[in-house]
Amino acid sequence: MNNSRKPLSPFSIVIFGATGDLTHRKILPAFYAFAQQGLLPEQYRLIGFARRDWTDEIFRAEMRQGVEQFGRVPFDAATWDTFAANLYYHRSDFDQADGYPRLGELLDRRDTPATDNRLFYLATPPESYPAIVHHLGEAGLNHGQHGWTRIIIEKPFGRDLPSAIALNQQMHEVFAEEQVYRIDHYLGKETVQNLIVFRFANAIFEPIWNRNYIDHVQLTVAETVGVESRAGYYDTAGVGRDILQNHLLQLLTVTAMEPPYAFDAHALRDEKAKVLQALRPIQAADTVAGQYIGYRNEQGVAPKSQTPTFVAVKMYIDNWRWQGVPFFLRSGKQLADKTTEISIVFKRPPHSLFPLEAGEMLTPNVLTLCIQPDEGMHLRFEAKVPGANMQRQTVDMNMNYAQDFSGAPLPEAYERLLLDALQGDASLFTRADEIELAWQAIDPVIQNWENSKVPLFFYEPGSWGPYEAVKFMGEDRLWRGHCGDYDEA
Ligand code: BG6
C-alpha cells in the first residue's frame, strides 16, 4: 500500500445491476466523491448494465438522486454535470448473450472517452454471477488488448463450501485470480485498517498480543436495524451467512494474524489465510443462536422461520500464539446499539498488593478498538483515586478519530476499495482460498442450525440478544458494550 496515491489512469467501469440499491447507495456516491475531490482522470466512463428499459438520461437522473440522498460529500450541481456526462446506460438481460458483444462495442466506441482499462462490478444478486462471467468470457471481454481487466464481486460468495468452490472455479475459467476482487466492505473501513497500523507500526503491543497476556478476545458486530426490505435474501442467509462467515471472520483474521512481511496483497492475505487454516472446528456447545421476537412477522419471512438473526460463537485458533485463548464473536439485528468493536481483554495481575473485598478481583485491562460508529480506541486500566488511602478506580485512556484527526469525515469503505481496485491493489480484498476456508469453518455451525441440532433462543428487540450468549462465555467474563464504555450485565 502506498502512503500517497498515484493518480488514477483512464478507466471504464461497467456496473452490472446498475438499477439496484447498491449502485444508488454506495457505488455512484463513491465515484461522485472522487469527482468532488479531483481524483478522477480526464478520461473515464461509468456504464450501467441492467435489464430495465432506461436511457442514458434516465440513468443519470436516477444516479443523481442516489448521490444527493446517500452521498458523503456535499452535492454540487456543476461537479455533477461534468461527472454525469461520463455516465452511460447499457440495457440487456444478464443471460442474454448478444448483450455482451454490444457492451464490447460500447466500450470500444471512440466517440466517448475510451480506455482499455476495464473494471467490471457485479452488483447483482449472486444467481446472476455465473451467467455474467461466462458471457464476458465468451465475448472476449475478460482481457484487454492494451490495458488491464478486473472484476469486483460482492458477497455472498456462495452459500456454503461446495457452492463457493464452484463459484471460484467458474470465475477462474474466465478470469485469473489476480483479476478477481472480492469485496468485504469491512476491510475498507478506516478503523479496520488502523488495526493493522496499530498492531504493526507500534512496538509496544505485539509483545503482549498473545496467550501469555490475553485472557480472551471479543468481536461484536451489533445492529439496531431489523431485516428491513431484504427479508427474501436474509431469511435464506441468516446472520451466519450474512455477517459471521465474512465480516466477523475478516475482523478475526486481522486481529489474530502474524505480522506480514510487507503490506501487500500476497503477504497480508497469506497471513490471514493461515489464521483461518488454524481455526479449531467449532463445537455445537460453543454456539448460541437467537431470533428477535417479531422477526417471523416481517414481510417476506417464513411464518415458522428458524433463521437466526443473532449468533454468538466461541472459537479457538490452534497455533503457538493463540493456544487456549477463546475468541468470542457475536452479531445480531435489532440489538440495543449499533456498534462494531473488538475488545482485547487482558489477564488479571497475578497477585494483588491491595486489599480486596471477599470474592473481589482486580479488574482486567481491556483494549477496545471501536470500528464504528464512535471510531477510536480505549484502554481501560486501574488508577489511584487521589487521597490518603490506596483506593482504586477503573479509568479509560481514549483516542478518538474525530478529535485527533481534526474532525475530517472518514471516507466510506467503498471509496477506499474502489480506488484500490482501480489501482490494482488487492490487499483489502478476499482471496479465493480465504473464502473457502471461512466457509469450511462456518458450514458446520449453519448446518447445526438448519438441522435444528441446537436450540434457537428468542430475544427482545432492543436487547443484547439471548442471555445464553453471556452464560456461554464462562465465569467472570462479560461482553463489553458500546465501545468499551461498560460491561454488559
Ligand atoms: C452487510 C449485511 O454486508 O453489512 C447487512 O448484508 C448489514 O445485513 C451490513 O446490515 C452492515 O454493514 P455496516 O457497514 O453498516 O456495519
Side-chain angles (χ1 to χ4, degrees):
M1 185 179 51
N2 296 329
N3 290 333
S4 56
R5 279 194 180 269
K6 286 186 295 205
L8 290 179
S9 311
F11 66 88
S12 290
I13 174 168
V14 181
I15 305 165
F16 292 88
T19 55
D21 219 35
L22 186 68
T23 311
H24 281 83
R25 282 175 185 265
K26 299 288 181 190
I27 305 175
L28 257 291
F31 277 100
Y32 177 73
F34 300 158
Q36 277 273 34
Q37 296 163 81
L39 297 178
L40 291 172
E42 215 161 286
Q43 290 202 321
Y44 67 94
R45 241 178 342 188
L46 285 87
I47 300 173
F49 185 125
R51 299 184 188 107
R52 276 192 217 167
D53 203 6
W54 283 4
T55 57
D56 290 345
E57 286 66 37
I58 299 178
F59 181 53
R60 288 171 187 165
E62 286 279 337
M63 293 304 112
R64 179 179 172 143
Q65 270 181 18
V67 167
E68 285 192 77
Q69 192 177 349
F70 303 110
R72 177 180 69 82
V73 294
F75 187 81
D76 170 70
T79 310
W80 173 261
D81 288 344
T82 317
F83 174 73
N86 296 292
L87 303 187
Y88 299 89
Y89 186 73
H90 180 68
R91 204 213 79 76
S92 174
D93 283 354
F94 301 136
D95 52 9
Q96 190 183 328
D98 76 335
Y100 294 78
R102 285 196 287 111
L103 172 67
E105 284 162 26
L106 177 59
L107 284 166
D108 286 338
R109 239 165 63 191
R110 295 291 154 180
D111 60 344
T112 52
T115 158
D116 274 339
N117 295 327
R118 291 168 182 176
L119 180 60
F120 298 111
Y121 195 130
L122 270 51
T124 66
E127 304 82 76
S128 304
Y129 295 169
I132 296 173
V133 170
H134 170 77
H135 289 305
L136 284 173
E138 207 176 46
L141 293 172
N142 52 340
H143 54 83
Q145 296 216 321
H146 307 292
W148 49 257
T149 303
R150 300 180 188 132
I151 182 163
I152 295 184
I153 53 173
E154 275 287 334
K155 72 177 252 280
F157 312 105
R159 46 180 290 110
D160 51 19
L161 180 58
S163 56
I165 293 174
L167 181 58
N168 278 335
Q169 277 169 355
Q170 280 160 356
M171 297 297 299
H172 291 157
E173 277 166 23
V174 178
F175 292 97
E177 175 63 18
E178 295 67 44
Q179 295 176 281
V180 183
Y181 288 67
R182 296 175 193 78
I183 278 205
D184 184 311
H185 78 280
Y186 266 58
L187 291 180
K189 291 185 190 278
E190 275 293 320
T191 33
V192 175
Q193 293 155 50
N194 185 42
L195 172 55
I196 302 174
V197 173
F198 177 78
R199 285 193 58 196
F200 304 125
N202 294 297
I204 60 172
F205 301 109
E206 270 314 288
I208 56 168
W209 208 262
N210 58 48
R211 68 181 189 291
N212 296 324
Y213 298 94
I214 293 177
D215 176 76
H216 71 277
V217 178
Q218 304 182 6
L219 298 107
T220 295
V221 175
E223 298 186 272
T224 49
V225 292
V227 287
E228 299 178 295
S229 56
R230 298 161 72 227
Y233 149 76
Y234 193 88
D235 205 35
T236 60
V239 66
R241 295 189 175 94
D242 191 46
I243 303 274
L244 177 62
Q245 184 271 347
N246 36 77
H247 303 330
L248 268 172
L249 281 194
Q250 287 296 320
L251 292 181
L252 172 84
T253 56
V254 177
T255 309
M257 70 182 177
E258 295 300 317
Y261 65 80
F263 196 110
D264 73 28
H266 287 291
L268 189 71
R269 297 190 298 177
D270 280 352
E271 294 308 334
K272 286 167 62 210
K274 282 186 212 163
V275 173
L276 296 169
Q277 273 161 338
L279 288 177
R280 188 184 300 174
I282 302 166
Q283 303 302 310
D286 288 340
T287 68
V288 176
Q291 189 186 80
Y292 65 81
I293 296 167
Y295 172 73
R296 291 173 178 181
N297 301 329
E298 302 266 18
Q299 205 182 355
V301 170
K304 291 187 179 165
S305 172
Q306 288 291 111
T307 301
T309 59
F310 174 94
V311 65
V313 187
K314 175 157 71 166
M315 300 179 91
Y316 287 96
I317 301 169
D318 280 333
N319 64 14
W320 196 277
R321 183 190 285 261
W322 293 116
Q323 197 50 242
V325 179
F327 283 71
F328 295 101
L329 283 60
R330 71 172 169 169
S331 180
K333 298 239 182 238
Q334 291 250 346
L335 296 182
D337 216 348
K338 161 96 181 156
T339 177
T340 300
E341 56 193 83
I342 302 170
S343 280
I344 315 292
V345 182
F346 291 90
K347 292 186 172 168
R348 292 186 160 87
H351 164 69
S352 177
L353 307 186
F354 314 105
L356 299 170
E357 306 277 316
E360 193 197 354
M361 289 185 286
L362 287 175
T363 311
N365 300 129
V366 182
L367 173 71
T368 299
L369 302 128
C370 185
I371 310 294
Q372 60 184 18
D374 301 320
E375 292 88 353
M377 291 182 189
H378 312 265
L379 180 63
R380 182 177 87 172
F381 58 94
E382 295 297 282
K384 181 183 175 303
V385 178
N389 55 17
M390 291 299 275
Q391 205 187 334
R392 287 170 289 109
Q393 190 177 310
T394 305
V395 293
D396 255 332
M397 196 153 74
N398 293 323
M399 173 258 168
N400 182 283
Y401 263 72
Q403 280 161 19
D404 290 349
F405 294 103
S406 32
L410 297 179
E412 268 278 320
Y414 275 85
E415 293 174 33
R416 168 62 197 251
L417 295 173
L418 280 164
L419 283 179
D420 282 359
L422 288 167
Q423 295 192 312
D425 183 351
S427 308
L428 299 175
F429 292 82
T430 320
R431 210 167 55 186
D433 57 338
E434 286 182 77
I435 293 291
E436 292 176 15
L437 287 163
W439 280 119
Q440 189 176 306
I442 300 307
D443 266 2
V445 177
I446 295 177
Q447 276 159 20
N448 279 337
W449 297 336
E450 292 186 341
N451 301 329
S452 305
K453 289 214 178 120
V454 292
L456 181 69
F457 298 101
F458 294 91
Y459 62 95
E460 288 289 340
S463 70
W464 278 108
Y467 184 59
E468 282 69 17
V470 180
K471 277 201 296 195
F472 97 134
M473 296 176 87
E475 292 257 312
D476 306 325
R477 288 179 182 146
L478 285 171
W479 287 103
R480 303 284 296 150
H482 193 67
C483 280
D485 269 2
Y486 55 85
D487 286 324
E488 284 162 24

